Amino acid sequence: MKTVYETTGTCSKAIVLDVDDATGIINSVQFIGGCAGNTVGISQLVRGMKAEDVISKLGGIRCGMKPTSCPDQLAHALRQVLNK
């Protein structure tokens, strides 16, 4: 299912993600805004992974003094998708 998640506390403004409803496998992730090298890299790395695995690896990562980060926001987005 394709979903748009509006981020908070990061340079990126939103995350567009497509997760297979039946398997929980991530088909694609696109960050809107943010540091292109990092967000494109994250998107490439998580494609084909189970959403639950990505949540456990990326959840809680901080960006400097911020309480969140783009990877952490991806974990939040994936939790929201899995809880629907």
Side-chain angles (χ1 to χ4, degrees), residues 4-27:
V4 178
Y5 177 83
E6 292 187 23
T7 60
T8 58
T10 61
C11 299
S12 63
K13 301 298 177 205
I15 305 170
V16 180
L17 57 152
D18 182 16
V19 178
D20 185 278
D21 290 334
T23 64
I25 299 290
I26 299 169
N27 295 320

Side-chain angles (χ1 to χ4, degrees), residues 21-37:
D21 290 334
T23 64
I25 299 290
I26 299 169
N27 295 320
S28 66
V29 173
Q30 178 188 12
F31 287 84
I32 308 301
C35 303

Side-chain angles (χ1 to χ4, degrees), residues 11-12 33-41 70:
C11 299
S12 63
C35 303
N38 291 328
T39 57
V40 170
C70 289

Side-chain angles (χ1 to χ4, degrees), residues 8-12 34-35 38-39 42 58 60-73:
T8 58
T10 61
C11 299
S12 63
C35 303
N38 291 328
T39 57
I42 293 166
L58 301 183
I61 293 176
R62 296 170 54 125
C63 184
M65 298 300 290
K66 296 178 184 178
T68 189
S69 65
C70 289
D72 182 55
Q73 288 294 294

